[in-house]
Structures are given as C-alpha cells and as structure tokens.
Amino acid sequence: MVVVTGQSKGSGDPDEAMSSSDAEDDFQEPATPTATQAGQALPLLPQQFPEVVPLNVGGMHFTTRLSTLRRYEDTMLAAMFSGRHYIPTDAEGRYFIDRDGAYFGDILNFLRSGDLPPRERVRSVYKEAQYYSIGPLLDNLEDLQPLKGEKVRQAFLGLMPYYKDHLERIIEIAKLRAMQRKARFAKLKVCVFKEEMPITPYECPHFNSLRFERSESEAKLFEHHCEVDVSFGPWEAVADVYDLLHCIVTDLSDRGITVDHQCIGVCDKHLINHYYCKRPIYEFKITWW
C-alpha cells in the first residue's frame, strides 16, 4: 500500500503530489548497519601497544619487547605492531597471530640477537621468514645448508627441460597402474641419459667431452625415442646420470612417495649399421602403502 501525504482531498495538481517512490524513501528503514556504522564498533586507531608485548601465536605463548618486533621496518611484524592496524587479543589479553607458533621462537631469537636455527630447522624457519617478510633472516638462511646446496641443485635441474612435468608423469602413471591392478606398488621404465648421441661399443667419446661432433644429417640418423614411460636428458654439466637419479628420488620422497630404482639394461634399439642405442633404462618401483 502506498501512503501519500501533503495533498488535499480535492487537489489535482501533480506537482503537489508526492510520488510513490518518494514516499517509500521517507518511510524505508535500513535493514542492516551501513559500513560506516559497522566501522564505529571497532576500536579507534591507532592501536597502542605496551613496551613488553604478550603474544599468542597459534596457541603458543611468547613475550618480547615491542622494539624487537619493530627491529626491521619492512617486515610484516613491524607493520602489524606499528599502530596502524588492529590486532585482536585472546581472553588473557595476549595479541593473537593466527599462525603456527612452532618456529616463532626462532624468528624472535633472530630479531633479538641475530641467532640462526640449527640445520634441521632451517627449511621450516625459512618458510616462516617468508611469511613474515624478514629479508635479513632470509638472506642469512640462504647461506646455510641445506638451502645453499639446494640453490646449486636447482641450478643443475634448470638444465632439465620439463623436469617437473616428468615427475608428475611418473606419479600419474604409477598411480594409474596401481589402481588398475589393485596393487600395492607399480613399476615403470625411465630412461636417464646425459649425452645427446647414443654410445655404442664402436664409439669412443672425446676426453672430457659432453657431446659428439656429428653433422646435422648424421645426427638425424640417431634421433629416436626409447620405449620407456618417461625420459630425462640430455644435458651439459659435470653432474652425471646418478646425480639426476638422486634428484628424482629426493623430489619424489619429499612428496611422500616411496620409490626404489635399479638399472635393468640399455635401450639397445638398432639405429643404423652397427649402431645401437645404449641409453640406460631404469625400473622405478613406486610403493603406495
């Protein structure tokens, strides 16, 4: 029903009549608080912090100085406790950070005195330092093992085209075969070769050479695909086949996959004349439970 006011019973002037939309605007009440009204319920900024700050990080309790949290300006902790942001408190009045607190003590030890974690905690603390954007801690951790060695390893893996894609293919093939056979494990063949050209008993590679010098027409005679599930290579580096195998097993293990491997021979595919492919073939056994 539309309520009309401000008009006499006998008036016919449309200018003096209030439209239905105007009437509805006069009588309509907001159903929910506006953003401005909702914002008034929050504590006024800036937030004030005590000199000694009690913290609750994911249920673990810590106490530190405010100056420690603000030690490096460009970090998340410095921004959180700058007073520009509201931080909730728990029932005991501790400032709450919704993050696993298992390695927060290592973060505080670095902010306090520059202490670094032991080797077995380096990777985990590095992830926390990334979350809190603590650049100086990240720089120090990258110079420690195992992160320093990981940089070298990743430089080597950068030579492997589609390395991560091949890892995914190994996992998918092994999972599919195990499910099809309703088996606890699955086997697949993987070729890992360093040289571009196949090695045969009739060839002798140059000393310290990574490639054979052949013309383009000769090279095409040796182009083929070994009959395997996944093939890695070739690459030019000092690291050899066993180094790459170690990387493959390590990366699969880091994903919780149990893998065993053994060399079962060579491709041995006839190419031309007396040339046969001598790329090594490995059998990978993926155990699922």
Side-chain angles (χ1 to χ4, degrees):
M1 181 179 69
V2 178
V3 179
V4 180
T5 60
Q7 178 181 3
S8 62
K9 184 176 182 180
S11 174
D13 188 354
D15 294 333
E16 296 179 0
M18 181 180 291
S19 68
S20 61
S21 61
D22 291 338
E24 290 174 351
D25 290 341
D26 281 351
F27 289 93
Q28 184 178 1
E29 293 293 335
T32 56
T34 63
T36 303
Q37 292 171 330
Q40 292 174 352
L42 296 176
L44 296 178
L45 299 178
Q47 189 175 12
Q48 300 296 321
F49 299 100
E51 181 59 30
V52 178
V53 182
L55 298 170
N56 179 344
V57 184
M60 299 184 66
H61 302 156
F62 302 89
T63 304
T64 189
R65 292 175 62 92
L66 182 61
S67 58
T68 299
L69 298 172
R70 295 176 176 176
R71 182 169 299 278
Y72 298 104
E73 295 181 356
D74 296 332
T75 67
M76 180 184 292
L77 289 173
M80 290 172 65
F81 290 90
S82 65
R84 301 190 303 270
H85 307 280
Y86 172 71
I87 302 178
T89 56
D90 62 12
E92 303 298 327
R94 302 183 185 91
Y95 295 98
F96 181 71
I97 300 177
D98 193 10
R99 184 76 176 174
D100 188 349
Y103 302 99
F104 192 75
D106 295 296
I107 299 293
L108 285 182
N109 286 337
F110 177 79
L111 295 177
R112 288 166 177 154
S113 55
D115 292 343
L116 297 175
R119 174 171 178 164
E120 63 271 15
R121 298 168 66 89
V122 166
R123 290 183 184 273
S124 299
V125 175
Y126 187 82
K127 292 180 180 179
E128 294 303 298
Q130 287 179 313
Y131 176 79
Y132 293 110
S133 301
I134 306 176
L137 178 54
L138 291 172
D139 292 340
N140 278 272
L141 292 176
E142 287 174 356
D143 286 334
L144 297 179
Q145 288 286 55
L147 295 183
K148 193 177 185 69
E150 182 63 17
K151 276 188 174 182
V152 178
R153 192 178 81 97
Q154 290 299 327
F156 163 58
L157 292 179
L159 302 175
M160 301 294 110
Y162 312 111
Y163 175 77
K164 293 183 178 179
D165 294 336
H166 290 341
L167 286 183
E168 293 296 332
R169 182 168 174 77
I170 289 175
I171 296 172
E172 288 301 317
I173 292 175
K175 181 176 70 174
L176 180 61
R177 289 180 180 171
M179 293 180 67
Q180 288 175 339
R181 297 176 57 245
K182 308 298 187 293
R184 180 167 170 257
F185 62 87
K187 295 180 180 180
L188 61 159
K189 293 181 179 179
V190 178
C191 177
V192 181
F193 65 101
K194 180 176 179 179
E195 304 290 349
E196 176 69 45
M197 296 302 171
I199 300 176
T200 74
Y202 303 95
E203 293 181 291
C204 295
H206 297 294
F207 183 71
N208 286 336
S209 174
L210 295 177
R211 286 181 180 268
F212 294 103
E213 297 296 333
R214 288 199 178 104
S215 66
E216 184 176 349
S217 59
E218 289 177 324
K220 290 182 178 180
L221 296 175
F222 293 88
E223 290 180 357
H224 80 290
H225 297 284
C226 302
E227 295 180 359
V228 295
D229 298 298
V230 182
S231 185
F232 292 86
W235 67 89
E236 288 191 51
V238 174
D240 59 20
V241 169
Y242 298 103
D243 296 321
L244 183 58
L245 284 170
H246 180 273
C247 291
I248 296 171
V249 173
T250 298
D251 289 334
L252 290 175
S253 299
D254 287 344
R255 298 181 60 172
I257 297 174
T258 302
V259 54
D260 296 303
H261 69 280
Q262 62 176 344
C263 183
I264 58 174
V266 295
C267 174
D268 214 29
K269 182 177 181 179
H270 180 253
L271 301 177
I272 184 175
N273 296 332
H274 55 271
Y275 290 101
Y276 294 81
C277 176
K278 296 302 177 182
R279 294 170 181 171
I281 307 298
Y282 294 84
E283 181 182 75
F284 274 53
K285 180 182 178 181
I286 307 294
T287 304
W288 291 106
W289 80 85

